[in-house]
Structures are given as C-alpha cells and as structure tokens.
Amino acid sequence: MSKGHRSQIKRARNEQKDTRPSAKLSFARIPVQKACFVLDAIRGKDVETAVAILAYSPRYASSVIKKLLESAIANAENNNGLSKSNLYVAECYANKAPTMKRIQPRAQGRAYRIEKRTSHITVVLDER
C-alpha cells in the first residue's frame, strides 16, 4: 500500500512532472522498427536541422514525424514561451502499440495472418 491520502499521492506525482515541451502521436500506423530509423537520425539535433532532415528523408515515417516535431515546436513557442532558435530534440522514441490482425487468403483454403503493427511516437524538446 502507498502512504498518504490520495490527494497527497497525486500532488507528489505532479511535482515530478516533466515541464519540457513535447508532442505525442498515439496509434500511428507505422511499425516501431521503421519509425526508429527516422527518430535516430534527428535525436540530439537542433530543430531547424531536424526539420530539414525529415523534409528530405524518403521514408514514409519522416512525413509523420515531421508533423509531430512541428507540433512540439509550436507547443514550445505558445505554451512555454521558448524561442525556436534555442530548441533541440532532447528525446524521441517510439513505443509498441496494439497490433491489428488481418487474414490473407492462401491456396487450398488456408489463411495466413497479417499483423499490421502500430506505435506511439513521442518527441521531447529542450532548450540549449
């Protein structure tokens, strides 16, 4: 059992809350492995460089992550009052989301399972 009243527990949890600007995309129709190729390319870069990398990357995931990064930049400017020139990508990661299971008909009455994987993608920015 945890110690303290429910409101005390919530207050303690909210004190440890991360205040860095971020954006999260849930249930993206991209497998985690394919999203991580693009996320690894922008991790640690300043936001102008990261947007440029995503704009010219040929992968499908780059267009989705570019939109997410621009949302995180807008959150930083509007909610936290930070300057775009000082921002960099502090963290970016993709977590596994539910997998949609579909059936592909095959020869002789068989059926193969197709797994359409999804992911939760998070981008966290910070100031230099």
Side-chain angles (χ1 to χ4, degrees):
M1 287 291 270
S2 57
K3 296 178 181 174
H5 191 264
R6 187 179 301 130
S7 61
Q8 291 172 322
I9 295 166
K10 284 184 177 180
R11 197 174 302 118
R13 191 182 323 131
N14 287 337
E15 285 173 1
Q16 299 167 358
K17 197 168 186 179
D18 193 7
T19 57
R20 297 180 296 180
S22 66
K24 183 176 182 182
L25 173 63
S26 296
F27 305 102
R29 285 289 306 273
I30 303 168
V32 173
Q33 191 173 8
K34 291 182 182 181
C36 282
F37 281 120
V38 178
L39 291 172
D40 290 342
I42 64 166
R43 189 175 290 116
K45 305 265 193 310
D46 61 292
V47 291
E48 283 99 3
T49 308
V51 169
I53 289 169
L54 293 173
Y56 291 102
S57 174
R59 294 182 175 271
Y60 168 72
S62 64
S63 61
V64 176
I65 294 170
K66 181 177 180 244
K67 202 170 179 182
L68 187 67
L69 178 61
E70 288 169 347
S71 174
I73 293 167
N75 289 341
E77 290 175 335
N78 296 323
N79 300 343
N80 298 27
L82 302 174
S83 172
K84 184 177 178 178
S85 58
N86 299 336
L87 293 174
Y88 75 101
V89 181
E91 292 177 33
C92 55
Y93 50 88
N95 293 326
K96 192 175 155 193
T99 301
M100 294 188 291
K101 293 168 182 74
R102 300 292 181 262
I103 298 300
Q104 174 73 37
R106 301 300 294 206
Q108 298 180 356
R110 293 185 177 90
Y112 283 6
R113 172 177 280 175
I114 292 179
E115 294 185 338
K116 298 187 180 228
R117 300 177 190 278
T118 58
S119 57
H120 302 309
I121 304 170
T122 307
V123 175
V124 180
L125 305 178
D126 206 357
E127 210 171 18
R128 286 202 195 269

